Amino acid sequence: MISCEKAAIICNKTQYEEASFMEKLKLRFHLLICKTCSAFTKKNTEFTTLCEKANLHSLSEHDKIKMKEQLQEKL
């Protein structure tokens, strides 16, 4: 059986469709036994759904560099 820490990592990977079939299987088994991780997974799924509905976007690499340069200039 996987640890709770490993379960959290796999849960996050699953949210972004990066988990392998075996990882998902291990997570499912762990969630049957661990209610804490089960609750975490449920909340994590709700959070991801809310973020998708909010249509959030992150800054592009170019914008991040530009912002960093502007902050450096002000210092």
Side-chain angles (χ1 to χ4, degrees):
M1 184 162 104
I2 60 174
S3 68
C4 291
E5 184 178 341
K6 183 70 174 172
I9 292 169
I10 295 171
C11 176
N12 290 331
K13 288 174 69 175
T14 301
Q15 294 296 319
Y16 300 103
E17 300 176 5
E18 297 173 351
S20 70
F21 174 76
M22 281 305 292
E23 287 176 322
K24 291 178 189 177
L25 192 61
K26 290 177 185 178
L27 177 62
R28 288 271 186 202
F29 181 69
H30 183 86
L31 295 178
L32 289 172
I33 297 168
C34 183
K35 298 304 174 200
T36 303
C37 287
S38 182
F40 171 80
T41 299
K42 183 179 178 183
K43 290 290 185 186
N44 198 27
T45 301
E46 290 172 2
F47 179 68
T48 300
T49 302
L50 287 173
C51 288
E52 288 172 355
K53 285 182 181 178
N55 200 21
L56 300 175
H57 299 283
S58 61
L59 293 173
S60 68
E61 285 302 315
H62 173 64
D63 289 339
K64 289 178 188 177
I65 292 169
K66 187 176 177 181
M67 185 181 288
K68 219 180 232 185
E69 289 172 353
Q70 289 173 344
L71 288 170
Q72 289 295 331
E73 289 173 6
K74 291 184 179 185
L75 294 176

